[in-house]
Amino acid sequence: MAAPETLPGRRFESRVALCLIADGGDFVSRPVEALELDFAGIVGDAHAGPTRRSSSREPWYPRGTEIRNDRQLTIVSSIELAEVAALMELPGIEGGWIGANLVFDDIPDLTRLPAGTKLLFAGGVTLNVEAENGPCRIAGRSIGSHFVDRAGLDLLFPKLGKHKRGVVASVEKPGSIRKGEAVKVMVPPQRLYTHEEAAA
């Protein structure tokens, strides 16, 4: 059997378009000039903490089990959000409506960044991409609150926002991230796992 192809790692540069923080009592975030990060995430953000409670995203645990917080930051692409808005026949979707902490304008297919991708910010912060962030009804409901004449957006967003809702990340090296700051994106080598279980 031929070995699966290994895609080489990639390195490219980008720049932070927006910084946002969810400090208003729920997951909705607001623009700020800078974010302060420690090992628990963004200081003052709703998703900060070294651990979190499991949800429907981790069905292998009883709901509410304490686990490592691999969702300290939410990162999205303005390009992908515009694509989702077009599919939903909306004039636009703002990152803050769905709880984004960082928005980029120029990372191609941001949601497809694999786990293990490093984001090295010019100011010294390093983030580790953990996973794709799946769209959910809660975010869809938030979008719908801005378009009260449209029913069913809470269900439409999970359907049409797949693979375009961004990624979640954790803090590897803390510090400050500022709007407009340069960042180096380090994508690791990738190889598709193709092992097939032996027949019983």
Side-chain angles (χ1 to χ4, degrees):
M1 178 183 298
E5 178 185 3
T6 297
L7 300 178
R10 292 186 56 199
R11 296 187 181 192
F12 56 92
E13 294 189 359
S14 183
R15 193 167 296 275
V16 178
L18 283 174
C19 294
L20 306 101
I21 187 170
D23 60 354
D26 60 17
F27 75 98
V28 174
S29 53
R30 63 180 180 86
V32 291
E33 286 300 311
L35 299 170
E36 296 296 325
L37 293 85
D38 58 22
F39 286 114
I42 299 171
V43 177
D45 189 82
H47 292 101
T51 63
R52 64 179 179 87
R53 300 292 178 179
S54 64
S55 66
S56 59
R57 299 178 189 274
E58 299 85 26
W60 47 90
Y61 294 122
R63 184 73 66 93
T65 300
E66 187 176 20
I67 59 176
R68 181 179 74 89
N69 188 3
D70 57 354
R71 301 177 62 84
Q72 293 174 341
L73 289 92
T74 295
I75 305 171
V76 302
S77 160
S78 60
I79 298 171
E80 291 180 327
L81 291 185
E83 291 171 350
V84 176
L87 291 172
M88 296 176 67
E89 299 181 344
L90 298 174
I93 296 174
E94 294 186 13
W97 298 350
I98 58 173
N101 298 121
L102 293 172
V103 178
F104 289 95
D105 290 337
D106 56 357
I107 296 182
D109 294 324
L110 183 145
T111 301
R112 296 188 182 277
L113 289 176
T117 296
K118 304 291 184 186
L119 304 178
L120 286 74
F121 294 81
V125 170
T126 300
L127 300 181
N128 188 61
V129 172
E130 298 278 358
E132 179 177 340
N133 194 10
C136 65
R137 289 187 64 181
I138 296 174
R141 193 176 305 125
S142 177
I143 294 170
S145 70
H146 296 273
F147 303 98
V148 294
D149 58 328
R150 287 283 307 278
L153 293 180
D154 59 326
L155 295 175
L156 196 59
F157 179 63
K159 178 181 178 181
L160 300 181
K162 287 183 178 180
H163 308 309
K164 293 182 182 295
R165 199 251 187 270
V167 296
V168 290
S170 61
V171 177
E172 184 170 294
K173 184 175 180 291
S176 299
I177 297 175
R178 302 194 65 82
K179 178 182 176 181
E181 186 173 332
V183 56
K184 293 181 179 179
V185 182
M186 298 175 59
V187 181
Q190 302 167 69
R191 186 174 70 163
L192 182 65
Y193 184 69
T194 57
H195 174 75
E196 296 181 4
E197 291 185 350

